[in-house]
Amino acid sequence: MTAPVRRVVTGHSADGRAIIISDTSAPQVFEVAAQPGLAFTEIWRTDCMPVRVDNAADPTLRPLQLAPTPMGSVIRVTDIPPESEDDGALDPAKAAAHFAQLGGAKASTGNAAAPHPLMHRTETVDYGMVLEGEIYLVLDDSEVLLHRGDVVIQRGTNHAWANRSGKSTRMLFILLDGKFADGLN
C-alpha cells in the first residue's frame, strides 16, 4: 500500500480572498498491476501556459497519462519498488505494454540491446527528486546512483529507473511539456 501524500490546494473566495479549497490526501493514486509496488500519486496538472489561475475542478481526476498535455505540466510522487528478477527478463513487447498502462505507450524504447528493459523517452523536461531511498538513473551509456535529496534534470533523454536497493524508493517528479531541438528527435 502506498503511503498517502497530503495535498493542500488554495484558491479564492467569491470576494477574492485567499482560502484553502482542500486539505486531504491526493485523490488519484494509480497502482500499476504489471509492477506491484509501482504507484503514481498525481498531485496536480496544468494544460496550458500561461497557467489559468482559477478555482476550476481538480485536474487530476482523469486517467493516468505519463507525460503532460501539450503546453502542460504534471507534478506527481512516484513510489518505485525494488527490481525483481522478472524485471530483467522483460521483452520489448512486455515493456511497451507496461508503458501503455502508464498512459505512455509511445514512450517505450526498450529493445534487446538496451541497458535496461524499461528504457523510455518523453518530449519533456523533468525535475526528479529522491525523497526516500536510493535509485539508479540508467542512460544509454552510463548510470548514476541517486540518494535522498538528489535532484535530476531529465532533458528528454532515453532513460530508465533501476531500484537495486531492496526497498521502495519515493521520488517527486515535475514534468514540463517540451519540444526537441532539431536533430534530437
Side-chain angles (χ1 to χ4, degrees):
M1 172 115 184
T2 301
V5 177
R6 180 181 178 195
R7 184 185 74 167
V8 178
V9 180
T10 65
H12 298 91
S13 66
D15 63 354
R17 295 180 51 82
I19 60 171
I20 301 295
I21 299 290
S22 69
D23 182 351
T24 63
S25 295
Q28 284 286 66
V29 179
F30 298 95
E31 295 184 355
V32 181
Q35 190 177 0
L38 178 62
F40 295 84
T41 302
E42 298 292 272
I43 306 299
W44 204 254
R45 288 185 159 273
T46 64
D47 291 329
C48 63
M49 285 291 172
V51 174
R52 182 167 171 78
V53 179
D54 59 17
N55 284 347
D58 187 336
T60 67
L61 300 178
R62 55 185 166 186
L64 178 62
Q65 182 180 335
L66 186 62
T69 56
M71 299 296 292
S73 69
V74 61
I75 181 171
R76 68 173 50 112
V77 171
T78 304
D79 291 293
I80 304 169
E83 290 191 341
S84 70
E85 290 181 23
D86 294 340
D87 293 337
L90 280 177
D91 62 40
K94 287 182 181 174
H98 171 86
F99 283 101
Q101 286 186 4
L102 306 180
K106 295 178 184 178
S108 181
T109 60
N111 60 58
H116 193 280
L118 293 175
M119 296 295 285
H120 62 286
R121 185 178 188 208
T122 55
E123 199 166 355
T124 59
V125 171
D126 308 341
Y127 309 124
M129 180 179 210
V130 180
L131 299 176
E132 296 174 17
E134 64 181 41
I135 196 156
Y136 284 88
L137 169 62
V138 180
L139 300 175
D140 291 330
D141 67 353
S142 61
E143 59 182 50
V144 62
L145 178 60
L146 303 166
H147 298 93
R148 182 179 180 178
D150 291 344
V151 177
V152 172
I153 292 80
Q154 178 73 25
R155 301 186 307 161
T157 55
N158 194 37
H159 70 286
W161 299 102
N163 182 350
R164 301 173 188 146
S165 72
K167 55 188 173 185
S168 189
T169 296
R170 179 169 267 199
M171 293 189 69
L172 172 70
F173 288 101
I174 300 169
L175 293 81
L176 306 174
D177 180 46
K179 181 169 175 35
F180 288 128
D182 292 341
L184 290 182
N185 53 359

